[in-house]
Amino acid sequence: MKVLVAVKRVVDYNVKVRVKADNSGVDLANVKMSMNPFCEIAVEEAVRLKEKGVASEIVVVTIGPSAAQEQLRTALALGADRAILVEHAEELNALAVAKLLKAVVDKEQPQLVILGKQAIDSDNNQTGQMLAALSGYAQGTFASKVEVAGDKVNVTREVDDGLQTVGLALPAIVTTDLRLNEPRYASLPNIMKAKKKPLESFTPEALGVSVSSTNKTLKVEAPAVRSAGIKVKSVAELVEKLKNEAKVI
């Protein structure tokens, strides 16, 4: 079974994000970039499926600038077999990303596609669902457990009331949640081996996909600084401050 894993290059989660002076976007100059944490979970799950003998090949794909090869090589070091870069330097919305991934899915014909449920930069949680709609594949979102049995995959997903298990006929799309697994670290020998693994590069034009968007970012602002909290001596004082100062009641 071929597994396709989509990953995204984002600002490292340990970095404090800065907004550009003109409020046109996030300042990425000299900022550490890493693989999206949810995407690391997706790669780990694919590698575990291969270790169980379920998956025969893992293909990892990303959409971004040429520098995104670094994140692809990381995925290769973690256990992926080959990588695909759809090179595009500008920011894309979720629908454009889904269309590009659909083109890759059509080309590769994987039986299972695994994505992180969301990226920590845009936080949209849309791409996996849009890809499923475009491809017509069954989908299981917010997966906390994935089990492949024959031509089906059972996905246990986290919902408001607890856990729900859905059975999906392959081919299918799964988006990963935090509790699905604990990603491993790449060993030095595997990092060296990853440099020799195949990495293809395409453009959106070569895939026959238009990535033009009708959305435009007008302004990006940092969140407002929270004011310090205070202690109150009684319930009556709390109610008075909520009513007259915070004006929430």
Side-chain angles (χ1 to χ4, degrees), residues 2 7 17 20 26 48 62-63 78 92 98 106 110 128 142-143 159-160 164 168 173 179 186 198 206 220 222:
K2 182 189 291 188
V7 302
V17 175
K20 292 180 180 178
V26 174
R48 292 188 183 191
T62 194
I63 301 163
L78 291 171
L92 296 173
D106 289 344
F142 314 114
V159 295
D160 290 341
Q164 176 191 51
L168 310 175
I173 292 172
R179 280 164 287 280
V220 177

Coordinates of all heavy atoms in Angstrom, one line a residue, residues 2 7 17 20 26 48 62-63 78 92 98 106 110 128 142-143 159-160 164 168 173 179 186 198 206 220 222:
K2 N 0.6 2.2 -0.9 CA 1.3 3.4 -1.0 C 0.6 4.5 -0.1 O -0.6 4.6 -0.1 CB 1.4 4.0 -2.4 CG 2.2 5.3 -2.5 CD 2.0 5.9 -3.9 CE 2.7 5.1 -5.0 NZ 2.8 5.8 -6.3
V7 N 3.1 17.5 4.2 CA 3.7 18.3 5.3 C 3.8 19.8 4.9 O 3.7 20.1 3.8 CB 5.1 17.7 5.7 CG1 5.0 16.3 6.0 CG2 6.1 17.9 4.5
V17 N 6.6 34.9 17.3 CA 6.3 35.5 15.9 C 6.3 37.0 16.0 O 5.7 37.6 16.9 CB 5.0 34.9 15.4 CG1 4.6 35.6 14.1 CG2 5.0 33.4 15.3
K20 N 5.4 42.3 10.7 CA 6.2 43.3 9.9 C 5.7 44.7 10.3 O 4.6 44.9 10.7 CB 6.0 43.1 8.4 CG 6.7 41.9 7.9 CD 6.4 41.7 6.4 CE 7.1 40.5 5.8 NZ 6.8 40.3 4.4
V26 N 3.7 38.3 8.5 CA 4.7 37.9 9.6 C 6.1 38.1 9.1 O 6.4 37.7 7.9 CB 4.4 36.5 10.0 CG1 5.4 35.9 11.0 CG2 3.0 36.3 10.6
R48 N 5.1 4.1 11.0 CA 4.6 3.0 11.9 C 3.8 2.0 11.0 O 3.9 0.8 11.2 CB 3.8 3.5 13.0 CG 4.6 4.3 14.0 CD 3.8 4.6 15.3 NE 4.5 5.4 16.2 CZ 4.2 5.7 17.5 NH1 3.0 5.2 18.0 NH2 4.9 6.5 18.2
T62 N 5.3 18.4 -0.1 CA 5.0 19.8 0.5 C 4.9 20.8 -0.6 O 5.4 20.6 -1.7 CB 6.2 20.2 1.5 OG1 5.7 21.3 2.2 CG2 7.4 20.6 0.7
I63 N 4.3 21.9 -0.3 CA 4.1 23.0 -1.2 C 4.7 24.2 -0.6 O 4.4 24.6 0.5 CB 2.6 23.3 -1.5 CG1 2.0 22.0 -2.1 CG2 2.4 24.4 -2.4 CD1 0.5 22.0 -2.0
L78 N 13.2 10.5 8.7 CA 12.3 9.8 9.7 C 11.7 8.5 9.1 O 11.2 7.7 9.9 CB 11.1 10.8 10.0 CG 11.5 12.0 10.9 CD1 10.3 12.9 11.0 CD2 12.0 11.6 12.2
L92 N -0.3 30.5 -0.1 CA -1.5 30.0 -0.7 C -2.6 29.8 0.3 O -2.3 29.4 1.5 CB -1.1 28.7 -1.4 CG -0.1 28.7 -2.5 CD1 0.2 27.3 -3.0 CD2 -0.7 29.5 -3.7
A98 N -5.2 22.4 -1.5 CA -6.0 21.2 -1.7 C -6.0 20.8 -3.2 O -5.9 19.6 -3.5 CB -7.4 21.4 -1.2
D106 N -3.7 12.4 -7.8 CA -4.0 11.8 -9.1 C -2.8 11.2 -9.8 O -2.9 10.2 -10.5 CB -4.6 12.9 -10.1 CG -6.0 13.3 -9.6 OD1 -6.6 12.6 -8.8 OD2 -6.5 14.4 -10.1
P110 N -2.2 7.1 -4.4 CA -2.0 6.4 -3.1 C -3.3 5.8 -2.6 O -4.4 6.2 -2.9 CB -1.5 7.6 -2.2 CG -2.2 8.8 -2.7 CD -2.2 8.6 -4.2
G128 N -7.4 19.1 4.6 CA -7.7 17.7 4.5 C -9.1 17.5 4.0 O -9.4 16.7 3.2
F142 N -9.3 14.3 12.7 CA -9.0 14.4 14.2 C -8.7 12.9 14.7 O -9.1 12.6 15.8 CB -10.1 15.0 15.0 CG -10.6 16.3 14.4 CD1 -11.9 16.3 14.0 CD2 -9.8 17.4 14.3 CE1 -12.4 17.5 13.4 CE2 -10.3 18.6 13.8 CZ -11.6 18.6 13.3
A143 N -7.9 12.2 14.0 CA -7.6 10.8 14.3 C -6.7 10.7 15.5 O -5.7 11.3 15.6 CB -6.9 10.1 13.1
V159 N -14.2 13.6 19.4 CA -15.4 14.4 19.2 C -15.8 15.0 20.6 O -15.2 14.6 21.6 CB -16.6 13.7 18.6 CG1 -16.2 13.2 17.2 CG2 -17.0 12.5 19.4
D160 N -16.8 15.9 20.6 CA -17.1 16.6 21.9 C -17.6 15.6 23.0 O -17.3 15.8 24.2 CB -18.2 17.6 21.6 CG -17.7 18.8 20.8 OD1 -16.5 19.0 20.8 OD2 -18.6 19.5 20.3
Q164 N -15.2 8.6 18.7 CA -16.0 8.0 17.6 C -15.1 7.2 16.7 O -14.1 7.7 16.2 CB -16.8 9.1 16.9 CG -17.6 8.5 15.7 CD -18.1 9.7 14.8 OE1 -17.3 10.5 14.4 NE2 -19.4 9.7 14.6
L168 N -13.6 3.4 7.1 CA -13.5 4.0 5.7 C -13.0 3.0 4.7 O -12.0 2.3 5.0 CB -12.5 5.2 5.8 CG -12.7 6.2 6.9 CD1 -11.5 7.3 6.9 CD2 -14.0 6.9 6.8
I173 N -8.6 9.5 3.2 CA -7.8 10.6 3.7 C -8.0 10.7 5.2 O -9.1 10.6 5.7 CB -8.2 11.9 3.1 CG1 -7.8 11.9 1.6 CG2 -7.6 13.1 3.8 CD1 -8.4 13.1 0.8
R179 N -2.9 13.3 19.9 CA -2.8 12.1 20.7 C -2.6 10.8 19.9 O -2.7 9.7 20.4 CB -3.9 12.0 21.7 CG -3.7 12.8 22.9 CD -5.0 13.0 23.7 NE -5.9 13.9 23.1 CZ -5.8 15.2 23.1 NH1 -4.8 15.8 23.7 NH2 -6.7 16.0 22.4
A186 N 15.0 11.9 14.3 CA 15.8 11.3 13.2 C 17.2 11.0 13.7 O 17.9 11.9 14.3 CB 15.8 12.2 12.0
P198 N 15.4 10.0 -3.3 CA 14.9 10.9 -4.4 C 13.9 12.0 -4.0 O 13.1 11.8 -3.1 CB 14.2 9.9 -5.4 CG 13.9 8.7 -4.5 CD 14.9 8.6 -3.5
A206 N 3.1 23.0 -14.0 CA 3.4 21.7 -14.6 C 2.3 20.7 -14.2 O 2.1 19.7 -14.9 CB 4.8 21.2 -14.1
V220 N -2.2 42.4 9.1 CA -1.9 41.4 10.1 C -1.4 42.2 11.4 O -0.6 43.1 11.3 CB -0.7 40.5 9.6 CG1 -0.3 39.6 10.7 CG2 -1.2 39.8 8.4
A222 N -0.4 41.9 15.7 CA -0.1 41.0 16.9 C -1.3 41.1 17.9 O -2.0 42.1 17.9 CB 1.2 41.5 17.6

